[in-house]
Amino acid sequence: MSYVHETTEFAPAPQVAAAAVRLIIWDLDETFWRGTVSEGGVERFIEANHDAVVELSRRGIMNSICSKNDEGSTLEIIRGLGLSDYFVFPSISWDAKGPRVRAIIEDMGLRPENVMFIDDNAANRREVAALVPGVQVEDETICELLLDDPRFRGKSDPDLSRLAQYKLLERKAQDRAKATDGVEDFLRSCDIRITIDYDIESNIERAVELINRTNQLNFTKSRLPEEPGWAGRKLLRDCRAHTRHAGLVRVSDRYGDYGYVGFFLSISGRERITPGESQRRLLHFCFSCRTMGMGIERFVYEHLGRPELIVAPPVVTDLFAPMAIDWIKIGAPDGADRVEQLAPEIRALGGCEMTALAAYLAPYTPKLAVAGNVHAGGLFPLINSAILSVSTLAQPAATTEEIAARFGVPAEVLAPRPFDNPPEGTVFVFSGARDGRRRWPRFRHRASGWETCFLLPGFDDFDFDAAPPGSLSETFLAKGKDWTPVEREQRARVLAYLDEDFECTGQRTADEAMPALQRLIECTPPGGKFIVLLNATRERVTGGELQVVDTTIAYNERAREVVARYPFAAAICYDDVVNSDDEIDLGANHYVRQVFFRGSQKVLEAIRSLPGR
């Protein structure tokens, strides 16, 4: 039969959409080729369409089929063209096209706005447009323009890795459709594994792509500049600081490797302290739609300890709804099936750096408890001190809870108790570097003898030894001219309570802190281990200059002497994992993110090599 182009049947051409196309769904008869398979067969193959499918695949743009035809004979023609490996999720039947196009898009986890449906039949186009709002719809005349249309620029993928991943999803969807035991049982059969790669620098392009191109599973929707070079540099700056924790999530299962499908970046501290949850806040939390329905985003959120997350809708997953995911395992970065479990529990206590370092230890224990210096209630309590920890140990929990409530700060932030009743085999990671500082303000509760420490603006240069009793409120409220009304109210309450019930205590030397460190080490239970982290002996001061800190040197020497008495204990110094001056940030124990990753590897080595108590 001859092919007749009946222009009167076509609806007006839709306005060109701005959204980039990630998937084309092709009609076949009189669109991809000339002729009708069921009415005389294919009259002529259009070589340009064949070449377009191949080229689009090399640009990372997928191709699918929605055709009204007999499936077996049509797929035989596609195989004869050598294109069966280039089409994903083909739908060939006599059913209406609207529901089938919608199913293809849902199975691939894409947004309709990023999908184009091409069909010569105006009725089919109207049906699809009505049933799948947002989808881009074109007639067959678009075919010769595809490769030059900016919507099909894509991203170079000469190895067809994206196509391979969607082929993987296709096989999985076929098996899932055949499963009779329910979705969760099917997922359990898939042997899903994730690994977290902390080498953001080597994979910066993929991290940028996830942030800027994901939508349905992008929970913060905080975008980077569109220019790739600027975007990469900005993200590397955002990931650098000691307060940041970032990782790329890689997923594989028995069907294959999905590659890097997720990215997260968090910062220390959250607006509202939540007991039992990570004291961090997510800046980026985004996942590819390729793993939609696997529970990856839920699992990672739980694995990170449910950090604070302000969701920017719309998203397709409610991370906060309770759901037990038992079909995902964490694999080791070295390729091992599972991460080695080094301890039944790891308890970490330190300063600003501890949450940064401890995040890398989480896969190696079923239970990780972390306490570090964080802002709370308008204050900055300091807890990285053996002296303060022993003081807390000496008090009933009810006492410190009552005092914390008066300050308006959660007890687990002001007076953490990681050394109380540790189970057998617990590993402690401890930094008491505050004991090695030149000067720091400590306050003793007059009634109980419990000691605490805060930082407030002006504390650094204030002579507490010379301060008359009851003078803190008057002195520091006068200093706080730039405080917000909320800060002023919070700090006035704290200062008044300090004046009422506390007294300033004298300074302690590194030698005086050692009995307290020894007391903590002796809290190690049978089978347990104790690791002491020591600050680098140089720190960067205001103005950017690096200086050697004599008190840190003295503290480190004394701490090593104490640790050496216990075969189940080890000391690790950040001097050994700082590779250059550029990796030391302003302030004590403040280093770039990579330093804490290296430090965590030293901690893991120590846990493996030390004998249990």
Side-chain angles (χ1 to χ4, degrees):
M1 63 179 287
S2 61
Y3 173 75
V4 180
H5 187 80
E6 298 179 350
T7 57
T8 57
E9 184 178 334
F10 296 139
Q15 184 178 1
V16 174
V21 174
R22 300 174 63 183
L23 168 69
I24 297 177
I25 302 177
W26 296 82
D27 170 51
L28 296 177
D29 293 341
E30 307 294 12
T31 298
F32 191 74
W33 53 53
R34 295 293 179 254
T36 304
V37 172
S38 63
E39 299 178 6
V42 178
E43 295 182 358
R44 178 167 62 88
F45 296 115
I46 303 174
E47 186 175 351
N49 289 346
H50 175 289
D51 295 344
V53 167
V54 175
E55 173 58 23
L56 290 168
S57 299
R58 294 183 181 277
R59 297 182 185 183
I61 297 171
M62 298 299 100
N63 296 270
S64 185
I65 295 170
C66 186
S67 172
K68 287 187 177 181
N69 264 311
D70 174 71
E71 184 178 42
S73 57
T74 304
L75 289 178
E76 185 63 32
I77 296 172
I78 296 294
R79 281 192 289 270
L81 292 173
L83 289 177
S84 58
D85 290 338
Y86 287 90
F87 287 108
V88 295
F89 292 88
S91 177
I92 303 171
S93 75
W94 297 104
D95 296 333
K97 288 194 174 184
R100 290 195 284 143
V101 167
R102 182 173 60 188
I104 292 171
I105 295 172
E106 290 175 352
D107 285 344
M108 294 182 66
L110 297 176
R111 297 169 63 241
E113 291 80 0
N114 297 118
V115 178
M116 178 177 286
F117 171 65
I118 304 176
D119 197 308
D120 70 297
N121 187 294
N124 289 336
R125 296 197 303 272
R126 287 194 294 269
E127 176 190 341
V128 169
L131 196 60
V132 190
V135 70
Q136 301 183 46
V137 177
E138 295 280 0
D139 64 34
E140 80 283 5
T141 61
I142 190 70
C143 296
E144 62 186 30
L145 307 174
L146 290 177
L147 299 183
D148 295 324
D149 191 311
R151 289 175 289 177
F152 301 91
R153 186 176 295 115
K155 181 180 179 183
S156 179
D157 185 18
D159 298 328
L160 304 180
S161 59
R162 187 175 179 84
L163 175 60
Q165 288 166 350
Y166 275 105
K167 279 291 185 182
L168 181 158
L169 285 180
E170 181 184 354
R171 294 193 300 273
K172 187 172 182 178
Q174 292 168 349
D175 289 349
R176 184 171 181 167
K178 298 174 186 176
T180 59
D181 296 330
V183 173
E184 292 187 6
D185 285 336
F186 172 74
L187 290 172
R188 292 185 185 98
S189 75
C190 291
D191 192 23
I192 303 171
R193 299 173 186 274
I194 72 166
T195 57
I196 298 178
D197 190 342
Y198 302 108
D199 185 6
I200 309 303
E201 291 71 22
S202 298
N203 301 285
I204 191 65
E205 289 185 6
R206 179 56 177 158
V208 169
E209 183 179 39
L210 285 164
I211 291 170
N212 280 354
R213 299 292 175 261
T214 56
N215 291 288
Q216 298 179 90
L217 292 175
N218 189 323
F219 291 87
T220 66
K221 294 183 176 60
S222 178
R223 309 297 188 182
L224 294 165
E226 282 299 322
E227 200 285 317
W230 291 356
R233 289 191 292 272
K234 182 180 188 309
L235 183 57
L236 288 177
R237 289 196 300 271
D238 291 345
C239 292
R240 174 183 171 87
H242 72 280
T243 56
R244 308 300 171 95
H245 177 48
L248 280 157
V249 180
R250 187 164 195 145
V251 175
S252 64
D253 63 15
R254 65 184 174 92
Y255 292 90
D257 188 342
Y258 298 82
Y260 293 120
V261 301
F263 174 76
F264 64 84
L265 171 62
S266 66
I267 186 171
S268 297
R270 56 191 296 165
E271 294 299 322
R272 179 174 297 176
I273 301 297
T274 304
E277 296 187 354
S278 169
Q279 303 308 316
R280 302 186 68 85
R281 176 166 51 89
L282 282 163
L283 304 177
H284 293 291
F285 194 66
C286 48
F287 294 83
S288 167
C289 56
R290 292 203 298 269
T291 56
M292 191 179 295
M294 296 171 68
I296 302 299
E297 64 279 7
R298 285 177 175 271
F299 183 87
V300 174
Y301 185 64
E302 294 292 338
H303 173 72
L304 295 177
R306 299 177 66 86
E308 186 174 45
L309 174 60
I310 307 301
V311 175
V315 291
V316 297
T317 300
D318 180 2
L319 293 174
F320 309 112
M323 183 178 184
I325 296 179
D326 59 2
W327 55 83
I328 299 176
K329 300 180 178 66
I330 295 184
D334 61 5
D337 284 347
R338 301 192 181 199
V339 175
E340 179 186 7
Q341 296 297 285
L342 297 177
E345 188 171 335
I346 295 178
R347 299 184 181 186
L349 184 147
C352 305
E353 84 291 358
M354 188 53 75
T355 54
L357 181 136
Y360 301 111
L361 305 179
Y364 298 88
T365 178
K367 185 175 182 180
L368 173 69
V370 186
N373 297 339
V374 295
H375 289 275
L379 305 171
F380 192 53
L382 300 174
I383 60 173
N384 53 335
S385 159
I387 294 171
L388 296 183
S389 295
V390 167
S391 178
T392 296
L393 277 176
Q395 301 297 325
T399 299
T400 53
E401 289 170 2
E402 180 182 349
I403 295 172
R406 287 285 305 273
F407 279 120
V409 176
E412 58 268 22
V413 172
L414 184 65
R417 311 182 74 90
F419 301 101
D420 281 4
N421 305 313
E424 184 171 347
T426 298
V427 171
F428 292 99
V429 182
F430 174 74
S431 169
R434 178 56 46 183
D435 293 328
R437 303 301 296 154
R438 290 187 177 90
R439 183 175 181 82
W440 50 286
R442 287 184 299 111
F443 306 99
R444 180 185 293 118
H445 187 245
R446 293 187 181 93
S448 67
W450 177 75
E451 291 188 328
T452 187
C453 175
F454 293 103
L455 283 186
L456 280 175
F459 268 25
D460 287 344
D461 57 2
F462 183 68
D463 186 358
F464 287 93
D465 294 335
S471 67
L472 291 179
S473 295
E474 179 182 350
T475 302
F476 281 96
L477 289 176
K479 288 174 174 283
K481 295 178 181 178
D482 296 330
W483 294 351
T484 67
V486 172
E487 289 173 335
R488 191 171 188 83
E489 186 277 328
Q490 291 172 326
R491 291 166 182 174
R493 182 184 67 250
V494 169
L495 292 166
Y497 184 38
L498 287 174
D499 280 340
E500 178 184 351
D501 283 358
F502 285 78
E503 60 185 358
C504 296
T505 60
Q507 303 306 305
R508 301 251 184 123
T509 66
D511 285 338
E512 292 174 310
M514 291 307 109
L517 177 60
Q518 183 173 328
R519 168 75 177 87
L520 296 183
I521 295 175
E522 290 173 353
C523 290
T524 306
K529 302 168 186 181
F530 198 102
I531 297 165
V532 178
L533 301 178
L534 304 175
N535 277 2
T537 52
R538 294 185 304 158
E539 66 180 52
R540 196 175 299 279
V541 296
T542 303
E545 179 185 354
L546 282 174
Q547 68 177 17
V548 175
V549 184
D550 294 337
T551 53
T552 299
I553 294 174
Y555 175 84
N556 289 357
E557 290 176 352
R558 305 297 186 275
R560 286 190 179 98
E561 292 173 0
V562 170
V563 168
R565 302 171 193 164
Y566 300 90
F568 56 87
I572 296 171
C573 184
Y574 281 105
D575 279 336
D576 297 329
V577 291
V578 172
N579 291 344
S580 69
D581 290 353
D582 290 341
E583 294 184 340
I584 302 177
D585 277 344
L586 187 67
N589 64 31
H590 292 179
Y591 317 106
V592 301
R593 177 180 51 86
Q594 299 95 317
V595 168
F596 296 112
F597 175 73
R598 294 183 212 125
S600 72
Q601 302 311 293
K602 292 283 188 183
V603 170
L604 294 173
E605 291 173 11
I607 295 175
R608 291 187 182 100
S609 62
L610 286 173
R613 183 176 188 181

